[in-house]
């Protein structure tokens, strides 16, 4: 191997090392598998909730037929459903913003919050919904006092509230799992990139040493 070839190899090695993060963005980047868009998933949960509310009205409260309760609910049921859908939308916007902050590390959070923060938020929004339902029962339907409706609701109200809280928690688990999978993929990719840079560095140093030895040998001649 002559000196020109060694210099060419060295130049390529230095170029690769200088690029640093390029391999991770190109050949070595592992794209995350497609996941459901948060907005579309939120719409799916809203439709599911609307249908389940109609099923409850028909089979538990004996209010009309299923298609009537889906497409033409009474004003109070419509208001209640819109309130829940608003909470869904608010939570999806919040969880999406929190997800972005965690992914780009714009906020400093502990490990537990980093791994379960969106799930905690899901429980928080579920608690908000529970309180709003108790508030509605007291001040709209005149059913007892706030603390009684909050801590000891009737079985139908309890079933309905638990259904919504479950949907919120499932939604938050889905979003949190996608964030955790992304972090895991980024950590694995970082390890591959670091290993590649170490190999390039070792190759570059070996080439530099070989060039220096050849120059010394030529000077001695």
């Amino acid at each position: 191997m002559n000196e020109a070839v060694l210099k060419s190899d060295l130049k390529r090695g230095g170029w690769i090392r200088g690029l640093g993060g390029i391999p991770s963005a190109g050949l070595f980047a592992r794209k995350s598998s497609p996941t459901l868009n948060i907005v579309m998933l939120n719409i799916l949960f809203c439709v599911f909730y609307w249908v389940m509310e109609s099923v409850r009205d028909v089979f538990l409260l004996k209010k009309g037929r299923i298609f009537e309760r889906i497409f033409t609910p009474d004003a109070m049921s419509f208001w209640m459903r819109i309130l829940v859908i608003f909470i869904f939308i608010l939570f999806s916007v919040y969880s999406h913003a929190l997800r972005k902050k965690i992914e780009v590390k714009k906020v400093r959070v502990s490990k537990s919050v980093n791994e379960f923060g969106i799930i905690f938020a899901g429980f928080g929004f579920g608690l908000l919904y529970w309180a709003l339902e108790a508030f509605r029962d007291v001040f709209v339907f005149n059913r007892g006092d706030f603390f009684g409706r909050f801590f000891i609701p009737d079985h139908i109200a309890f079933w309905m509230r638990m259904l919504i809280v479950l949907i919120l928690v499932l939604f938050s688990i889905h979003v949190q799992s996608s964030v955790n999978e992304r972090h895991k993929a980024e950590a694995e990719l970082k390890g591959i990139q670091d290993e590649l840079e170490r190999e390039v560095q070792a190759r570059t140093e070996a080439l530099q040493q070989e060039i220096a030895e050849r120059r010394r040998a030529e000077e001695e001649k």
Side-chain angles (χ1 to χ4, degrees):
M1 181 184 298
N2 57 37
E3 186 174 342
V5 174
L6 291 174
K7 287 183 177 179
S8 177
D9 287 346
L10 178 60
K11 183 177 180 180
R12 286 197 298 271
W15 177 76
I16 294 174
R17 182 183 58 178
L19 288 178
I22 294 297
S24 64
L27 296 176
F28 296 94
R30 189 177 72 179
K31 295 182 179 179
S32 58
S33 58
T35 57
L36 286 175
N37 183 274
I38 289 182
V39 175
M40 296 302 298
L41 188 59
N42 182 65
I43 293 175
L44 178 64
F45 278 130
C46 290
V47 171
F48 173 76
Y49 161 72
W50 195 281
V51 173
M52 291 303 297
E53 278 291 299
S54 302
V55 171
R56 184 203 61 147
D57 291 346
V58 172
F59 293 99
L60 292 181
L61 303 181
K62 308 299 182 181
K63 292 183 179 180
R65 304 178 190 179
I66 186 67
F67 289 102
E68 293 176 353
R69 299 305 298 174
I70 290 177
F71 297 106
T72 57
D74 58 86
M76 190 57 62
S77 296
F78 181 80
W79 180 89
M80 179 191 66
R81 298 180 190 183
I82 292 298
L83 173 64
V84 174
I85 289 174
F86 173 75
I87 293 177
F88 280 153
I89 295 174
L90 184 63
F91 174 65
S92 66
V93 171
Y94 174 81
S95 61
H96 181 69
L98 181 60
R99 171 185 174 180
K100 287 297 183 182
K101 288 181 179 180
I102 293 175
E103 286 180 350
V104 300
K105 297 180 176 61
K106 286 186 178 179
V107 291
R108 299 182 63 183
V109 294
S110 64
K111 184 177 180 181
S112 61
V113 174
N114 193 21
E115 294 180 352
F116 304 104
I118 298 177
I119 297 177
F120 293 155
F123 280 103
F125 275 87
L127 184 62
L128 171 64
Y129 162 74
W130 196 284
L132 288 175
E133 280 290 302
F135 182 87
R136 185 207 60 174
D137 289 346
V138 173
F139 295 98
V140 177
F141 294 144
N142 295 319
R143 296 178 181 174
D145 62 284
F146 178 81
F147 290 101
R149 297 301 299 176
F150 185 88
F151 294 105
I152 316 175
D154 58 80
H155 67 281
I156 295 178
F158 180 80
W159 181 90
M160 180 193 67
R161 297 181 193 179
M162 286 303 300
L163 174 64
I164 304 309
V165 172
L166 179 62
I167 292 175
L168 286 170
V169 171
L170 289 176
F171 181 78
S172 65
I173 290 174
H174 169 78
V175 177
Q176 185 70 66
S177 63
S178 66
V179 172
N180 293 345
E181 289 175 1
R182 181 185 178 95
H183 284 175
K184 182 179 178 181
E186 288 178 349
E188 293 176 355
L189 185 60
K190 182 67 166 55
I192 294 174
Q193 180 181 344
D194 292 343
E195 183 179 355
L196 175 62
E197 290 180 350
R198 286 193 296 269
E199 292 178 357
V200 170
Q201 178 66 25
R203 176 61 175 166
T204 301
E205 292 174 355
L207 290 173
Q208 289 175 337
Q209 184 177 359
E210 189 172 350
I211 290 175
E213 291 176 355
R214 284 184 173 272
R215 284 181 176 176
R216 284 196 297 270
E218 290 178 357
E219 290 174 357
E220 291 176 357
K221 291 179 181 180

